[in-house]
């Protein structure tokens, strides 16, 4: 076992990958890669070095069978710049370790997220937490952007005025907007990072946090390509079926009617990507 040397991953270090209008993800450091997962799994039964094919098979076996602890042996540290409303969602992932810029200590930079016209949409009628897929027309988008910008101009004027008055930064900042960019160092092990990615790459997650998750996924694919592929195959693009759903699958295969009802029925056909024949 040696300190990880992964030239493909090393070339990502210290590069800012742009996200949204002013944000970024930067890989500060990583510990371990696919090989570390294999070594950690084999130590439990004192197994030696094996071929790439066997290593790949082992990682896929671990992922399929939720033998998760070897994935915890790989650790990533990211420097991330994101709007506060994204950070609020992000911080719910309790297994990460983070250090964030302090608005008590520093004068906050006048940087806020302004959605592009194509990201501005009406409230979705069926997803209470989300927006419609199609954006509003160009005139409406321009009006929305102007409303957001004018509100911010006022907010920053008041912030700067309070600072000029000598008011403490921790008080002056209390009305700053959710769109304000914040920055943090965030460390996460691969097992929990996969959990984060499963939730935040999902179409139910807010579009803005999904943009960050996609960049992080491309970094993980470079550092641990085999584990990332196994995650996509057995977690991200897989589906769990309940007992009643398995019965429904058998019914479908045998040409019998599906007996599920209501939202369970709707979700069952959504999982399969099929139209409900009823
Ligand atoms: C699309 C979407 C919509 C959401 N909407 C809302 C919302 O409206 N309101 C809201 O409040 N939240 C919302 N959330 C946040 C959500 O409820 C979870 O808090 C978040 O996704 C983190 O998931 P987690 O707890 O599994 O992850 P982590 O905190 O990373 O935890 C990983 C796993 O570790 C275990 N764990 C971690 N800490 C503890 C602990 N202290 N005790 C016991 N077990 C622990 C759990 O098994 C957990 O699954 C939403 C999340 C998503 C993805």
């Amino acid at each position: 076992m040696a300190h990880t040397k992964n030239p493909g991953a090393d070339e990502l270090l210290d590069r800012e990958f742009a996200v949204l209008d002013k944000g970024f993800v930067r890989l500060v450091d990583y510990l371990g890669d696919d090989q570390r997962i294999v070594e950690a799994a084999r130590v439990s039964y004192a197994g030696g070095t094996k071929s790439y094919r066997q290593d790949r098979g082992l990682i896929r076996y671990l992922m399929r069978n939720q033998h998760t602890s070897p994935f915890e042996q790989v650790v990533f540290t990211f420097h991330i710049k994101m709007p506060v409303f994204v950070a609020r969602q992000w911080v719910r992932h309790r297994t990460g370790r983070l250090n964030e810029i302090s608005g008590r200590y520093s004068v906050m930079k006048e940087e806020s997220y302004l959605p592009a016209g194509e990201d501005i949409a009406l409230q979705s009628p069926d997803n209470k937490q989300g927006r419609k897929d199609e954006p509003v027309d160009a005139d409406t988008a321009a009006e929305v952007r102007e409303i957001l910008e004018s509100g911010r101009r006022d907010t920053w004027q008041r912030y700067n005025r309070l600072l000029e008055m000598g008011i403490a930064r921790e008080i002056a900042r209390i009305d700053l907007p959710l769109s304000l960019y914040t920055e943090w160092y965030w460390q996460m092990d691969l097992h929990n990072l996969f959990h984060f990615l499963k939730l935040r790459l999902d179409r139910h997650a807010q579009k803005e946090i999904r943009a960050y998750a996609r960049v992080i996924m491309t970094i993980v694919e470079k550092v641990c390509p085999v584990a990332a592929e196994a995650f996509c195959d057995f977690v991200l693009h897989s589906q769990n079926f309940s007992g009643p759903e398995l019965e429904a699958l058998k019914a479908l295969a045998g040409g019998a009617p599906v007996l599920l009802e209501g939202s369970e029925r709707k979700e069952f056909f959504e999982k399969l990507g099929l139209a409900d024949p009823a």
Side-chain angles (χ1 to χ4, degrees), residues 241-259:
F241 290 97
S242 64
E245 286 175 330
L246 285 174
E247 290 306 316
L249 270 180
K250 283 184 210 159
L252 263 187
V258 169
L259 299 177

Side-chain angles (χ1 to χ4, degrees), residues 92-95 129 188 192 195 199-200 204-205:
R92 300 301 305 277
H93 297 267
R94 295 160 288 176
T95 47
Q129 275 197 327
M188 195 69 152
N192 285 292
H195 182 63
L199 293 171
R200 300 303 178 179
H204 294 99

Side-chain angles (χ1 to χ4, degrees), residues 53-96:
R53 197 169 64 82
Q54 286 168 309
D55 287 351
R56 180 170 179 274
L58 174 59
I59 289 177
R60 291 175 71 78
Y61 172 87
L62 297 171
M63 185 66 74
R64 271 201 315 281
N65 291 282
Q66 289 158 36
H67 184 2
T68 53
S69 49
F71 297 99
E72 293 173 26
Q73 297 286 343
V74 178
V75 179
F76 292 78
T77 302
F78 297 102
H79 177 188
I80 301 158
K81 181 175 171 186
M82 77 210 101
V84 169
F85 71 89
V86 171
R88 285 286 305 273
Q89 297 172 346
W90 204 300
V91 80
R92 300 301 305 277
H93 297 267
R94 295 160 288 176
T95 47

Side-chain angles (χ1 to χ4, degrees), residues 1 13 15 25 38 40 42 48 59-60 63 74 78 102 132 145 166 172 191 199 205 211-213 243 253 278:
M1 276 176 249
L13 290 169
R15 286 170 54 189
V25 170
V38 167
R42 290 222 170 96
I59 289 177
R60 291 175 71 78
M63 185 66 74
V74 178
F78 297 102
S102 166
K132 282 184 165 181
R145 283 165 58 92
H191 164 58
L199 293 171
Y212 285 88

